[in-house]
Amino acid sequence: METAPRPEIKLVSQDDRIFAGSNYPKPFAFNKEVAHVFDDMVRRSIPLYVDVVRATADWVQHFYKPQTAIIDIGCSTGTTTHHVAHTLQKPAHFLAVDLSASMIEKAREKLADLPPRHQVTLLCQDIRETTLPRASVVIINYTLQFLPVADRLSLLSRIHEALVPGGIVLISEKVRSATTAFHELTTVIYERFKEEQGYSRTEIERKKEALDQVLIPFTEQEHRQNLTLAGFTAIDTLMKWNNFTTLIAQKEPKA
């Protein structure tokens, strides 16, 4: 039997030249300016970004249960929801949540071609104030790192509560190395990666300063500890590139 071709990942935005201008450094924010270039920004700033989106769709196909939701927390411009929806043949309800009105506007445009078998709810809201529906899959990619440290375990606990038995959460994050030497080396390698994507040293340094105290990374071990404390019984590393990782955790299935 032939395998159906994968749908393309929809990345549509202006070129990211934000940090080449004179408006920064200032604290990074997911405003209209960033939303207009976000797809190009993540493609060039996050190693394995496209691979993570594809892997997410693969795992959703296996773990999605009918009559439950697929929740995309920090959905940004809707790229992951869009790809999962175009990959998943079973009808599903998607809840895509983001705090940025500009991101939700872009997501609404991107998700306009969603297959009619699916339903999607776009919600511009702080996830800490969002009621989570019964779900079999929760996606939280590159979002925990922007939440206050004190709120991260609480959110994971609420996700665990919302998941049906056997449901999964997929978490992608920039992570901090456990040792200083490793952290310094991964930073050097990561900045070289961004240079290879066409960013100048000025852009890299300005963005780093803008993200200081805005993006606060955990170590992978800290993520695993919080997932365990939240109640997850199976935790694994799905993908890793130096200081970026994707974890998957499962709520214990029914006996």
Side-chain angles (χ1 to χ4, degrees):
M1 183 181 294
E2 293 186 4
T3 303
R6 287 180 180 271
E8 291 187 8
I9 293 174
K10 193 172 184 179
L11 294 170
V12 184
S13 77
Q14 299 173 9
D15 293 341
D16 176 22
R17 301 295 295 165
I18 285 181
F19 294 94
S22 58
N23 292 336
Y24 288 86
K26 62 183 180 182
F28 185 87
F30 293 99
N31 52 26
K32 189 172 184 178
E33 182 183 25
V34 168
H36 278 303
V37 303
F38 187 77
D39 284 7
D40 186 58
M41 179 183 287
V42 293
R43 180 184 63 81
R44 294 165 62 205
S45 299
I46 301 178
L48 303 180
Y49 179 79
V50 167
D51 301 89
V52 168
V53 174
R54 287 184 180 134
T56 298
D58 290 340
W59 283 74
V60 170
Q61 286 192 84
H62 183 81
F63 282 95
Y64 169 69
K65 292 183 173 58
Q67 309 305 316
T68 67
I70 298 169
I71 307 174
D72 187 358
I73 297 172
C75 66
S76 63
T77 63
T79 300
T80 300
T81 289
H82 183 273
H83 187 66
V84 171
H86 279 268
T87 303
L88 185 64
Q89 295 304 307
K90 300 174 185 175
H93 175 234
F94 292 83
L95 172 61
V97 186
D98 202 284
L99 183 58
S100 167
S102 298
M103 290 293 188
I104 289 292
E105 181 182 344
K106 289 294 182 183
R108 185 169 283 109
E109 294 172 6
K110 184 175 290 186
L111 296 171
D113 68 349
L114 219 63
R117 63 182 176 271
H118 299 313
Q119 291 182 312
V120 61
T121 300
L122 285 165
L123 189 59
C124 183
Q125 193 174 62
D126 189 324
I127 192 60
R128 293 169 294 181
E129 300 172 0
T130 303
T131 300
L132 301 180
R134 182 171 171 267
S136 54
V137 177
V138 176
I139 303 158
I140 180 164
N141 284 344
Y142 314 107
T143 298
L144 272 178
Q145 59 200 23
F146 291 104
L147 282 180
V149 170
D151 294 335
R152 297 179 189 183
L153 176 55
S154 174
L155 176 58
L156 292 176
S157 297
R158 289 175 52 228
I159 290 171
H160 182 270
E161 184 178 353
L163 285 169
V164 298
I168 59 167
V169 60
L170 290 144
I171 301 173
S172 297
E173 290 276 288
K174 184 178 183 181
V175 292
R176 191 179 75 253
S177 295
T179 68
T180 301
F182 285 3
H183 177 73
E184 290 175 353
L185 179 56
T186 57
T187 299
V188 169
I189 294 170
Y190 175 48
E191 291 181 358
R192 185 176 65 198
F193 165 84
K194 290 201 285 187
E195 286 186 286
E196 290 169 349
Q197 306 309 308
Y199 286 116
S200 68
R201 286 305 310 177
T202 297
E203 289 174 291
I204 292 167
E205 292 301 326
R206 285 177 175 173
K207 187 174 184 181
K208 184 192 294 187
E209 187 172 349
L211 286 169
D212 186 44
Q213 301 306 311
V214 175
L215 188 163
I216 302 175
F218 274 171
T219 64
E220 183 174 326
Q221 185 58 32
E222 286 173 319
H223 282 296
R224 287 173 171 268
Q225 288 171 348
N226 269 357
L227 285 164
T228 299
L229 290 171
F232 290 94
T233 54
I235 305 165
D236 207 348
T237 301
L238 181 60
M239 203 171 295
K240 186 169 176 63
W241 184 98
N242 289 289
N243 54 338
F244 284 82
T245 193
T246 298
L247 298 171
I248 183 162
Q250 183 181 31
K251 184 171 180 175
E252 187 171 3
K254 286 183 178 177

Short mmCIF file of all heavy atoms in Angstrom, two decimals, residues 76-104:
data_model
loop_
_atom_site.label_atom_id
_atom_site.label_comp_id
_atom_site.label_asym_id
_atom_site.label_seq_id
_atom_site.Cartn_x
_atom_site.Cartn_y
_atom_site.Cartn_z
N SER A 76 0.52 30.54 18.15
CA SER A 76 1.13 31.56 17.28
C SER A 76 0.32 31.70 15.98
O SER A 76 -0.88 31.90 16.02
CB SER A 76 2.61 31.27 17.05
OG SER A 76 2.82 30.05 16.38
N THR A 77 0.97 31.54 14.81
CA THR A 77 0.26 31.76 13.55
C THR A 77 -0.49 30.52 13.07
O THR A 77 -0.97 30.49 11.93
CB THR A 77 1.24 32.21 12.45
OG1 THR A 77 2.20 31.17 12.21
CG2 THR A 77 1.95 33.49 12.85
N GLY A 78 -0.58 29.50 13.92
CA GLY A 78 -1.39 28.33 13.60
C GLY A 78 -0.73 27.28 12.74
O GLY A 78 -1.40 26.37 12.24
N THR A 79 0.59 27.33 12.59
CA THR A 79 1.29 26.40 11.70
C THR A 79 1.10 24.95 12.11
O THR A 79 0.79 24.09 11.28
CB THR A 79 2.80 26.73 11.65
OG1 THR A 79 2.96 28.06 11.16
CG2 THR A 79 3.55 25.76 10.76
N THR A 80 1.28 24.65 13.40
CA THR A 80 1.17 23.26 13.86
C THR A 80 -0.26 22.76 13.74
O THR A 80 -0.51 21.66 13.24
CB THR A 80 1.67 23.13 15.30
OG1 THR A 80 3.05 23.52 15.36
CG2 THR A 80 1.57 21.70 15.78
N THR A 81 -1.23 23.56 14.20
CA THR A 81 -2.62 23.17 14.06
C THR A 81 -2.97 22.92 12.60
O THR A 81 -3.65 21.94 12.26
CB THR A 81 -3.54 24.25 14.65
OG1 THR A 81 -3.41 24.24 16.07
CG2 THR A 81 -5.00 24.00 14.30
N HIS A 82 -2.51 23.79 11.72
CA HIS A 82 -2.79 23.66 10.29
C HIS A 82 -2.24 22.34 9.74
O HIS A 82 -2.94 21.60 9.04
CB HIS A 82 -2.17 24.84 9.54
CG HIS A 82 -2.44 24.85 8.06
ND1 HIS A 82 -1.65 24.18 7.16
CD2 HIS A 82 -3.43 25.44 7.34
CE1 HIS A 82 -2.13 24.35 5.94
NE2 HIS A 82 -3.20 25.12 6.02
N HIS A 83 -0.99 22.02 10.08
CA HIS A 83 -0.38 20.80 9.54
C HIS A 83 -1.02 19.55 10.13
O HIS A 83 -1.28 18.58 9.41
CB HIS A 83 1.12 20.80 9.82
CG HIS A 83 1.84 19.67 9.15
ND1 HIS A 83 1.95 19.57 7.79
CD2 HIS A 83 2.47 18.58 9.66
CE1 HIS A 83 2.63 18.46 7.48
NE2 HIS A 83 2.95 17.85 8.60
N VAL A 84 -1.28 19.57 11.43
CA VAL A 84 -1.93 18.41 12.06
C VAL A 84 -3.30 18.19 11.44
O VAL A 84 -3.69 17.05 11.12
CB VAL A 84 -2.03 18.60 13.58
CG1 VAL A 84 -2.91 17.51 14.20
CG2 VAL A 84 -0.65 18.59 14.23
N ALA A 85 -4.06 19.26 11.25
CA ALA A 85 -5.42 19.13 10.72
C ALA A 85 -5.41 18.59 9.29
O ALA A 85 -6.28 17.79 8.91
CB ALA A 85 -6.11 20.49 10.76
N HIS A 86 -4.43 19.01 8.49
CA HIS A 86 -4.38 18.53 7.12
C HIS A 86 -3.82 17.12 7.03
O HIS A 86 -3.97 16.46 6.00
CB HIS A 86 -3.54 19.50 6.27
CG HIS A 86 -4.29 20.70 5.82
ND1 HIS A 86 -4.97 20.78 4.63
CD2 HIS A 86 -4.53 21.90 6.45
CE1 HIS A 86 -5.57 21.95 4.52
NE2 HIS A 86 -5.31 22.65 5.60
N THR A 87 -3.18 16.65 8.09
CA THR A 87 -2.65 15.29 8.13
C THR A 87 -3.66 14.30 8.70
O THR A 87 -3.77 13.17 8.24
CB THR A 87 -1.36 15.24 8.98
OG1 THR A 87 -0.41 16.17 8.45
CG2 THR A 87 -0.75 13.86 8.98
N LEU A 88 -4.42 14.74 9.72
CA LEU A 88 -5.34 13.86 10.44
C LEU A 88 -6.62 13.65 9.64
O LEU A 88 -7.33 14.61 9.32
CB LEU A 88 -5.66 14.49 11.80
CG LEU A 88 -6.52 13.68 12.77
CD1 LEU A 88 -5.80 12.40 13.19
CD2 LEU A 88 -6.89 14.52 13.99
N GLN A 89 -6.92 12.39 9.34
CA GLN A 89 -8.11 12.08 8.55
C GLN A 89 -9.38 11.97 9.40
O GLN A 89 -10.48 12.20 8.91
CB GLN A 89 -7.89 10.78 7.77
CG GLN A 89 -6.79 10.87 6.72
CD GLN A 89 -7.03 12.01 5.73
OE1 GLN A 89 -8.09 12.11 5.11
NE2 GLN A 89 -6.04 12.88 5.57
N LYS A 90 -9.22 11.63 10.67
CA LYS A 90 -10.39 11.56 11.54
C LYS A 90 -10.88 12.97 11.86
O LYS A 90 -10.07 13.86 12.10
CB LYS A 90 -10.03 10.86 12.86
CG LYS A 90 -9.54 9.44 12.73
CD LYS A 90 -9.10 8.92 14.09
CE LYS A 90 -8.48 7.53 13.99
NZ LYS A 90 -7.95 7.08 15.30
N PRO A 91 -12.20 13.19 11.88
CA PRO A 91 -12.71 14.51 12.26
C PRO A 91 -12.29 14.84 13.69
O PRO A 91 -12.29 13.98 14.57
CB PRO A 91 -14.24 14.35 12.16
CG PRO A 91 -14.44 13.18 11.26
CD PRO A 91 -13.28 12.25 11.52
N ALA A 92 -11.91 16.08 13.91
CA ALA A 92 -11.42 16.47 15.24
C ALA A 92 -11.81 17.90 15.54
O ALA A 92 -12.08 18.70 14.64
CB ALA A 92 -9.90 16.31 15.31
N HIS A 93 -11.81 18.20 16.85
CA HIS A 93 -12.02 19.58 17.29
C HIS A 93 -10.69 20.10 17.82
O HIS A 93 -10.08 19.51 18.71
CB HIS A 93 -13.08 19.68 18.39
CG HIS A 93 -13.19 21.07 18.93
ND1 HIS A 93 -13.09 21.36 20.27
CD2 HIS A 93 -13.38 22.27 18.30
CE1 HIS A 93 -13.21 22.68 20.44
NE2 HIS A 93 -13.39 23.24 19.27
N PHE A 94 -10.23 21.20 17.26
CA PHE A 94 -8.99 21.84 17.66
C PHE A 94 -9.30 23.09 18.48
O PHE A 94 -10.15 23.90 18.10
CB PHE A 94 -8.17 22.25 16.44
CG PHE A 94 -7.62 21.10 15.64
CD1 PHE A 94 -8.41 20.45 14.70
CD2 PHE A 94 -6.31 20.67 15.82
CE1 PHE A 94 -7.90 19.40 13.95
CE2 PHE A 94 -5.80 19.62 15.08
CZ PHE A 94 -6.60 18.98 14.14
N LEU A 95 -8.59 23.23 19.60
CA LEU A 95 -8.62 24.47 20.36
C LEU A 95 -7.22 25.07 20.28
O LEU A 95 -6.26 24.49 20.79
CB LEU A 95 -9.00 24.22 21.82
CG LEU A 95 -8.88 25.44 22.76
CD1 LEU A 95 -9.81 26.57 22.31
CD2 LEU A 95 -9.15 25.05 24.20
N ALA A 96 -7.10 26.21 19.61
CA ALA A 96 -5.81 26.88 19.44
C ALA A 96 -5.84 28.17 20.25
O ALA A 96 -6.68 29.04 20.01
CB ALA A 96 -5.55 27.17 17.97
N VAL A 97 -4.91 28.28 21.20
CA VAL A 97 -4.93 29.39 22.16
C VAL A 97 -3.64 30.18 22.06
O VAL A 97 -2.55 29.61 22.00
CB VAL A 97 -5.08 28.86 23.61
CG1 VAL A 97 -5.24 30.01 24.59
CG2 VAL A 97 -6.25 27.90 23.72
N ASP A 98 -3.77 31.50 22.06
CA ASP A 98 -2.59 32.35 22.11
C ASP A 98 -2.97 33.67 22.77
O ASP A 98 -4.09 34.16 22.61
CB ASP A 98 -2.03 32.62 20.71
CG ASP A 98 -0.55 33.02 20.75
OD1 ASP A 98 -0.25 34.17 21.11
OD2 ASP A 98 0.30 32.16 20.44
N LEU A 99 -2.03 34.23 23.51
CA LEU A 99 -2.27 35.49 24.22
C LEU A 99 -2.22 36.69 23.28
O LEU A 99 -2.77 37.75 23.59
CB LEU A 99 -1.23 35.64 25.33
CG LEU A 99 -1.32 36.86 26.25
CD1 LEU A 99 -2.68 36.92 26.95
CD2 LEU A 99 -0.20 36.83 27.27
N SER A 100 -1.56 36.54 22.14
CA SER A 100 -1.36 37.65 21.22
C SER A 100 -2.50 37.74 20.20
O SER A 100 -2.71 36.82 19.41
CB SER A 100 -0.03 37.49 20.47
OG SER A 100 0.06 38.37 19.39
N ALA A 101 -3.18 38.87 20.18
CA ALA A 101 -4.26 39.08 19.21
C ALA A 101 -3.72 39.09 17.78
O ALA A 101 -4.37 38.61 16.85
CB ALA A 101 -4.98 40.39 19.51
N SER A 102 -2.50 39.59 17.61
CA SER A 102 -1.89 39.62 16.28
C SER A 102 -1.60 38.22 15.78
O SER A 102 -1.76 37.93 14.58
CB SER A 102 -0.61 40.46 16.32
OG SER A 102 -0.88 41.79 16.68
N MET A 103 -1.17 37.34 16.67
CA MET A 103 -0.92 35.95 16.29
C MET A 103 -2.24 35.24 15.94
O MET A 103 -2.31 34.50 14.95
CB MET A 103 -0.21 35.20 17.42
CG MET A 103 1.23 35.64 17.65
SD MET A 103 2.30 35.22 16.26
CE MET A 103 3.89 35.66 16.97
N ILE A 104 -3.26 35.46 16.72
CA ILE A 104 -4.55 34.84 16.45
C ILE A 104 -5.10 35.31 15.11
O ILE A 104 -5.68 34.53 14.34
CB ILE A 104 -5.55 35.14 17.59
CG1 ILE A 104 -5.15 34.37 18.86
CG2 ILE A 104 -6.98 34.80 17.18
CD1 ILE A 104 -5.30 32.86 18.76
#
